[in-house]
Amino acid sequence: MTDAGKATLHALQPQHEAIIIGAGVCGIYMLHRLIELGVDVTLLETGEGPGGTWYWNRYPGARFDSESYTYGYSFSKKLLQEWSWSEHFAGQPETLRYLTHVVDELELLPHMRFGCTVKAATFDEDSRAWTVELENGETLTTRLLLTAIGMLSAATMPRIEGVDSFQGKSFHTYYCPEGVRVDGKRVAVIGTGATGVQVIADIADKVAELTVFQRRPNWCAPLHNGPIDGEEQAKIKASYDEIFARCRKTPGGFLHGPDRREFFKISKEERLEFWEALYRSRGFGKWLGNFRDVFMDPRANAEYSQFIADKIRERVDDPATAEKLIPQDHGFGTRRVPLETHYYEAYNRDNVHLVDVNETPIERVTPKGIKTSEREYEFDVIVYATGFDAITGAFDRIDITGSNGEKLREKWRDGPETFLGLGTHGFPNLLILAGPQSGSVSTNFPRGIEETVDWSTQLIGYFRAQDYRRMEPTAEAEKEWVEHVKSFYEGNMIADTKSWFTGYNSNVDGHDTLRYMVYFGGAPAYRERLAEVADHDYEGFEFS
Ligand code: NA7
């Protein structure tokens, strides 16, 4: 090659081989694997420290509802042995400490840049590289762009007039200030999803008055958290291999997998006994360890919903309040089930009030509080537990432009289209980690993450070994994957229900129809498919 040719090639060399966006559970592990592989990689993160979801969500009551010891990284025996979870379901501060510890142990900090928000990313066909633009005006170039930007990281505020006029303290739970004080205050909580339920249960006995604004109740069930004593700790540490082996077998990557016995072949008495035991047990068993038919057969679902409704009636003193807390528009488990600690009992307190916004809609937020069609309530603090532009929202917030000038947010306007939830046609050299339609979004997060990241690391290893410059999922492979994802929506009661799993959000334009966001085929089938693609030289990707 001539000197001029070499100079041109050099000028086209991007600054980095890889950039990862996001320092959450996924970004941290991806960074570790790429450093191991010898890739020149930089991680960019908006927050001032690592942790992602666990960095941001500092609201009172924030904690795991999958077992802590199934949530940690499994790749390092050393990390597993040196870290001791204090509770079965650890709170946010402990989880953040854990992730910070991992980052320190793996010496990842020098590769991470905090306070960096990516505003735009554009693929340049000449250099086969991405130009990444930061909010501070800086630009970086990279061969590969990897997004680890979270499923629930684009918080959405309700579209209520006057939100900015409130003169007390108010925040979305995702942006809750560290150590916020609500003791002795008059507090409003809007929203009763998994987050609202945790907040309400946590602060009910601390605040002067708590008013909950509920639009649709969710089916909640007891978490049964507890401390882990020395003996149990030793047992957990000695059985990590079995714990992770069990998680690998279940569709969701959790300890709890479905009971495949035929619902109606079991006597009613036996079913009730089984459910009573589930209700008394720790964690997600009430949802994920239930009869499979409960999610496939409306009659089975109605019977279980009735069982849980009766539990709510037993736990809530005032019958009218109990009825308001029982969902009428969907069956148990067809939306995300919040696990709770004394949530229903909170409504037995004199200082806790439930406002059904269907009966008395919120008209506006005022400088002093909230005005409904009935009256004005005065508050010191308003907590917006109003959820997220889930799964694709974080992508829409970045101006991502592909090879033909196509915008990702335009391509995905009516819903995501991906190959394996890991890449999308028209956007070369972009790896979407734990993206929409991937196995990770429907899985106990780190379990799915580790597999996705390991697979992506191998793909990048292959890309480098072959000295490729460009890779992209083909349009055909993508079409086939999207159809495959859709096929699991048939006859699936979760897919028939409006929630963030299915892409509904009344606070985001256009999110009022079904979107195929989630891969419902289960973690084992997803894992198999990934292995098959890798075994066939990443069939479905085009390399050059
Ligand atoms: P969710 O589960 O999306 O819940 C949001 C809640 O906010 C839900 O109860 C909504 O009612 C309610 N909401 C949203 N907008 C409004 C308005 N405008 N008025 C009244 N109520 C409103 O988000 P979470 O943060 O609780 O949970 C997200 C996930 O984070 C969770 O599943 C975990 O995996 C972690 P709706 O049901 O839409 O009627």
Side-chain angles (χ1 to χ4, degrees), residues 21 117-122 132-133 145 147 149 392-401 407-409:
I21 314 175
T117 298
V118 174
K119 196 172 94 178
T122 307
V132 175
E133 225 179 296
L145 182 62
T147 58
I149 52 184
T392 50
F395 291 89
D396 289 344
R397 291 185 182 193
I398 304 175
D399 186 13
I400 300 175
T401 310
K407 302 277 183 195
L408 186 63
R409 62 165 80 106

Side-chain angles (χ1 to χ4, degrees), residues 103-116:
V103 167
D104 286 344
E105 280 292 299
L106 301 175
E107 299 178 6
L108 300 179
L109 274 183
H111 306 270
M112 294 177 154
R113 287 184 56 187
F114 300 110
C116 285

